């Protein structure tokens, strides 16, 4: 088998398993490349095509509507989504994609004649095809319901940017490192910036010096807008791979880190090593953390549906099933109830999720407050960052949807603070 066919077949298998077995991209990649040795070029081709196929599948489904009948097998559709992404969205050579896709169709018994003629027709019609024409029927209903439940929500605008690739946003240890940073960038605060070029992370200036880490702008805001955490005794309960913890290190907090997931903790440790920070790290289920030791600040960056990170993780919408919101909300409630038990009196609890779904955000806050009369809600302050007021909702909590900021892409994120009386 030609190498390019092998790679494109892996991409097909990855996409099919994400959709059908509800796997994350990384899980599906690991599973489908177990017996292959991939070089950097292969890995980046697989990543590029797979992620962009998932980012654009709802547009491509609309295109395919004209060419396919409704009963076409799912496997054929997935093979075509990947081929059309390469031809129309990524500019790969028409003949290379068509030949390899037809080869895969032969191997998998997926009607190669149909695939060949359909791709040829699409190539012939390419000038007439609107690449961003969206029919909402191709967006999963569960996601539309979340989006539509938001008042004054600019749905069209939101879906126009949802398929864009995420931007790279760096957070620096201090303003001095940022002011000496050589690459083209657009500052978001005195400590952070988007970089203009899409570099590989380890090729960005000063990577090995550990002057900065990668962290989304919206997810940086809760700690950035919490200077009261400085020099406090803090526990970050769900800390891996570490963005929020690194912000706390850089403001000189006395911080303990925990996470249940060993693989993610390994990444956290590698990050800490590069950044030259040493930490007290535990690997516990939050529910098992001793309540004897109390903290000034407890950070709960809870496991969630991740819908705020849809550009980074486009598989969320590509999977056949929706996230299990019922289980997630149950877990979020039980984690925040436990987190409250670890606070000193007058201590501060910060709850965060990379979601904008009501049930993982405002509903968790309301339920927490109605069950904890010994806590009160604390608003975020802007500290002269007036431009950031659009990220703070009417109750004073941080609430962003995936959107654009200064021409770059930012994630959706929610954060709320409570103080123990
Ligand atoms: C949103 S991520 C945390 C991101 C991290 N705070 C950062 O800034 O990079 C949620 C984390 O919660 C961890 N987690 C999930 N359930 C947990 C539990 N019961 N106890 C401890 N950690 C848990 C996951 O392993 C995951 O790393």
């Amino acid at each position: 088998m030609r190498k390019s066919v092998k790679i494109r077949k892996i991409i097909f298998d990855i996409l099919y398993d994400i959709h059908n077995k509800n796997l994350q991209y990384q899980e599906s990649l690991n599973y489908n490349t177990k017996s292959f040795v991939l070089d950097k070029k292969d890995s980046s081709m697989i990543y590029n095509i797979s992620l962009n196929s998932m980012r654009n599948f709802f547009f491509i489904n609309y295109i395919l509507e004209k060419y396919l009948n409704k009963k076409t097998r799912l496997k054929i559709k997935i093979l075509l989504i990947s081929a059309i992404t390469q031809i129309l969205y990524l500019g790969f050579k028409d003949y290379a994609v068509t030949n390899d896709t037809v080869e895969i169709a032969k191997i998998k018994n997926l009607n190669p004649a149909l695939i060949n003629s359909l791709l040829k027709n699409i190539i012939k019609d390419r000038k007439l095809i609107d690449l961003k024409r969206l029919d909402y029927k191709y967006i999963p209903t569960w996601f539309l319901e979340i989006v539509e439940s938001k008042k004054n929500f600019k749905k069209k605008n939101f879906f126009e940017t949802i398929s864009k690739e995420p931007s790279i946003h760096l957070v620096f240890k201090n303003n001095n490192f940022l002011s000496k940073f050589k690459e083209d960038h657009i500052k978001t605060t005195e400590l952070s910036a988007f970089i203009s070029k899409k570099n590989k992370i380890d090729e960005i200036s000063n990577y090995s010096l550990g002057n900065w880490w990668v962290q989304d702008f919206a997810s940086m805001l809760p700690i950035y807008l919490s200077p009261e955490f400085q020099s406090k005794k803090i526990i970050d309960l769900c800390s891996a791979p570490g963005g929020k913890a690194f912000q706390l290190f850089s403001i000189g907090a006395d911080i303990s880190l925990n996470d249940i997931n060993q693989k993610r903790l390994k990444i956290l440790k590698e990050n800490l090593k590069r950044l030259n920070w040493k930490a007290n790290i535990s690997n516990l289920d939050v529910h098992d953390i001793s309540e004897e030791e109390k903290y000034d600040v407890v950070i709960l960056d809870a496991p969630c549906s991740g819908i705020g990170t849809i550009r980074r993780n486009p598989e969320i919408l590509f999977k056949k099933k929706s996230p299990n919101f019922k289980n997630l909300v149950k877990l979020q409630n039980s984690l925040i109830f436990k987190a409250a038990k670890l606070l000193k009196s007058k201590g501060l609890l910060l709850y965060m999720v990379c979601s904008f779904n009501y049930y993982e955000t405002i509903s968790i806050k309301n339920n927490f407050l109605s069950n904890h009369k010994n806590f009160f809600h604390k608003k975020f302050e802007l500290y002269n960052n007036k431009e950031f007021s659009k990220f703070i909702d009417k109750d004073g909590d941080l609430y962003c949807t995936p959107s654009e900021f200064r021409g770059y892409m930012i994630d959706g994120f929610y954060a709320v603070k409570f103080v123990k009386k």
Side-chain angles (χ1 to χ4, degrees), residues 215 236-245 258-261 264 284-287 301-303 331 335 354:
Q215 186 178 3
D236 183 352
L237 296 174
C238 298
S239 61
K244 327 291 180 311
N258 177 69
D259 203 282
I260 199 171
N261 185 316
R264 290 173 68 96
L284 295 170
D285 184 325
V286 168
H287 300 100
D301 189 10
L331 177 62
L335 289 173
C354 45

Side-chain angles (χ1 to χ4, degrees), residues 169-199:
H169 185 254
L170 305 182
V171 182
F172 289 75
K173 279 181 171 172
N174 56 51
N175 50 9
N176 193 24
F177 286 150
L178 175 53
S179 59
K180 289 187 183 146
F181 186 61
K182 291 276 183 305
E183 301 203 17
D184 278 353
H185 61 274
I186 303 278
K187 272 192 185 183
T188 49
T189 68
E190 75 287 4
L191 289 173
S192 55
F194 288 111
I195 56 166
S196 320
K197 257 205 312 205
K198 283 254 149 65
N199 267 347

Side-chain angles (χ1 to χ4, degrees), residues 30 240 259-270 283:
N30 294 347
D259 203 282
I260 199 171
N261 185 316
Q262 280 194 18
K263 274 197 196 146
R264 290 173 68 96
L265 275 181
K266 191 168 167 258
I267 303 172
L268 170 78
K269 286 176 188 166
E270 285 162 9
N283 176 208

Side-chain angles (χ1 to χ4, degrees), residues 72-311:
T72 306
R73 284 157 64 196
L74 175 72
K75 284 191 173 177
I76 294 186
K77 278 196 187 158
I78 290 182
L79 187 56
L80 285 168
I81 286 172
S82 157
I84 293 171
T85 300
Q86 296 168 60
I87 293 172
L88 295 185
Y89 292 79
L90 297 175
F92 280 75
K93 295 211 166 66
D94 299 347
Y95 64 87
V97 178
T98 308
N99 290 350
D100 285 0
T101 306
V102 170
E103 278 304 300
I104 298 165
K106 282 183 195 157
I107 299 165
K108 301 245 173 209
N109 205 4
L110 295 175
N111 203 340
L114 168 85
I115 289 193
N116 190 31
S117 75
L118 193 145
L119 289 178
K120 289 200 165 130
N121 282 334
I122 286 196
I123 291 165
K124 179 167 63 63
D125 297 346
R126 73 172 358 132
K127 288 211 170 98
L128 307 170
I129 295 175
D130 180 352
L131 295 184
K132 293 288 169 192
R133 177 80 188 266
L134 179 66
D135 187 328
Y136 291 118
K137 74 177 179 216
Y138 293 118
I139 307 286
T141 335
W142 65 265
F143 190 71
L144 276 183
E145 278 167 12
I146 292 175
V147 169
E148 278 161 0
S149 67
K150 281 183 70 25
K151 271 191 220 135
N152 307 325
F153 190 74
K154 295 189 183 97
K155 189 165 134 190
K156 189 166 170 286
N157 211 307
F158 175 77
F159 282 106
E160 268 164 11
T161 67
I162 201 170
S163 61
K164 290 199 178 172
E165 286 191 25
S167 304
I168 303 177
H169 185 254
L170 305 182
V171 182
F172 289 75
K173 279 181 171 172
N174 56 51
N175 50 9
N176 193 24
F177 286 150
L178 175 53
S179 59
K180 289 187 183 146
F181 186 61
K182 291 276 183 305
E183 301 203 17
D184 278 353
H185 61 274
I186 303 278
K187 272 192 185 183
T188 49
T189 68
E190 75 287 4
L191 289 173
S192 55
F194 288 111
I195 56 166
S196 320
K197 257 205 312 205
K198 283 254 149 65
N199 267 347
K200 295 221 163 61
I201 302 301
D202 56 2
E203 288 169 8
I204 302 172
S205 307
N206 299 345
Y207 170 82
S208 51
L209 291 178
N211 292 358
W212 51 260
W213 59 94
V214 176
Q215 186 178 3
D216 172 72
F217 169 74
S219 87
M220 178 201 97
L221 283 180
I223 303 227
Y224 179 75
L225 296 175
S226 300
E228 71 271 29
F229 292 177
Q230 200 166 12
S231 311
K232 291 278 159 49
K233 180 180 170 183
I234 303 182
I235 184 161
D236 183 352
L237 296 174
C238 298
S239 61
K244 327 291 180 311
F246 307 150
Q247 287 183 273
L248 293 163
F249 275 110
S250 54
I251 57 169
D254 161 16
I255 172 166
S256 303
L257 307 180
N258 177 69
D259 203 282
I260 199 171
N261 185 316
Q262 280 194 18
K263 274 197 196 146
R264 290 173 68 96
L265 275 181
K266 191 168 167 258
I267 303 172
L268 170 78
K269 286 176 188 166
E270 285 162 9
N271 284 335
L272 282 170
K273 196 167 164 213
R274 179 178 69 84
L275 293 164
N276 271 314
W277 277 315
K278 286 207 169 62
N280 171 16
I281 302 175
S282 56
N283 176 208
L284 295 170
D285 184 325
V286 168
H287 300 100
D288 298 333
I289 293 178
S290 157
E291 287 163 27
E292 264 170 40
E293 189 153 8
K294 307 281 186 203
Y295 298 85
D296 302 314
V297 178
V298 175
I299 312 271
L300 176 59
D301 189 10
C304 69
S305 63
I307 60 168
T309 63
I310 206 96
R311 291 198 197 91

